[in-house]
Amino acid sequence: QVQLVESGGGWVHPGGSLTLSCAISENISTFDVVGWYRQSAGKQREVVAHLIKGGATAYLESVKGRFTVSKDTEKSMVLLQMNNVIPEDTAVYYCNARRMSPMENYWGQGTQVTVSS
């Protein structure tokens, strides 16, 4: 069973920065898509950023220009650099890894990010 373990969440001031990390127990290169989702209180889980095999990235409109998704192939990790955070970024952030054929979808346990003064 593939395991994803997030770290790096916590409390940060508005305008501050935070880096989330996700360690994947299998070779990250075997996944077609890796990335981050988030879920805030009373809302549905939403995709924050994807990194697609081949190098393409996709971002939630509200985080474009502030967040950057990347991967460390050697360490089999996916990262989310969060800059200039705002209170609306407060949520539980989940790491996700997917293979398309056959479909396999894996989640981490989530890490809380709180943006507040």
Side-chain angles (χ1 to χ4, degrees):
Q1 179 72 8
V2 177
Q3 292 187 326
L4 281 66
V5 180
E6 300 105 334
S7 60
W11 175 81
V12 60
H13 279 295
S17 296
L18 205 61
T19 302
L20 304 183
S21 301
C22 173
I24 302 176
S25 62
E26 293 189 10
N27 186 341
I28 196 171
S29 298
T30 66
F31 294 93
D32 296 298
V33 183
V34 294
W36 295 89
Y37 286 68
R38 69 186 183 188
Q39 187 167 18
S40 52
K43 294 187 178 181
Q44 288 191 330
R45 192 174 296 190
E46 61 182 358
V47 59
V48 176
H50 275 156
L51 205 162
I52 301 164
K53 205 171 196 176
T57 56
Y59 293 91
L60 179 69
E61 190 65 33
S62 64
V63 309
K64 282 182 181 177
R66 301 189 297 120
F67 291 8
T68 303
V69 62
S70 63
K71 66 180 179 181
D72 184 328
T73 303
E74 187 174 330
K75 296 180 180 178
S76 199
M77 295 184 73
V78 59
L79 308 170
L80 184 69
Q81 177 65 44
M82 305 167 62
N83 295 329
N84 194 23
V85 296
I86 59 178
E88 290 75 16
D89 295 324
T90 296
V92 178
Y93 283 71
Y94 296 90
C95 181
N96 174 262
R98 259 180 286 155
R99 296 182 178 119
M100 297 303 187
S101 184
M103 174 60 79
E104 298 173 35
N105 198 25
Y106 301 99
W107 295 93
Q109 80 285 355
T111 185
Q112 175 71 47
V113 172
T114 301
V115 182
S116 172
S117 55

